[in-house]
Amino acid sequence: MARSRDILPAPPRRWLVTGGGRRNPAVMAALAEALGQPVAAVESVGWDGDVLEAQAFAFLAVRSVAGLPLSLPSTTGVARPTCGGRLDKAA
């Protein structure tokens, strides 16, 4: 997260965190220290962090199934647009 500050057009006032780490006080404290700004769980603005995380993974899955990249040079610094792997249809 700390590196993402460099690509934002303006510094955020606070960082909202989703995923399991938002429930871990040590992770949240480390993020706040690394970012030098307040961090809060997404629930602090009325969002459901578990639902938000599930939606994000579903979005990535659909892009992967469609053969679309999940990671781009402009967002993650990868050398070229990169997919998220391959779908195993054996299951």
Side-chain angles (χ1 to χ4, degrees):
M1 272 177 103
R3 290 190 323 181
S4 64
R5 289 180 302 192
D6 300 334
I7 63 171
L8 296 173
R13 292 183 303 229
R14 67 178 167 173
W15 294 80
L16 297 175
V17 181
T18 191
R22 75 188 189 284
R23 295 188 181 104
N24 184 324
V27 168
M28 295 296 278
L31 282 172
E33 184 176 334
L35 294 166
Q37 292 175 296
V39 297
V42 295
E43 284 81 4
S44 69
V45 295
W47 300 343
D48 183 321
D50 293 329
V51 170
L52 185 60
E53 184 179 28
Q55 289 172 333
F57 277 104
F59 174 78
L60 294 173
V62 168
R63 288 187 62 84
S64 184
V65 168
L68 298 170
L70 304 185
S71 192
L72 302 166
S74 61
T75 57
T76 63
V78 294
R80 59 181 168 68
T82 306
C83 69
R86 63 187 176 118
L87 180 62
D88 182 3
K89 297 181 183 181

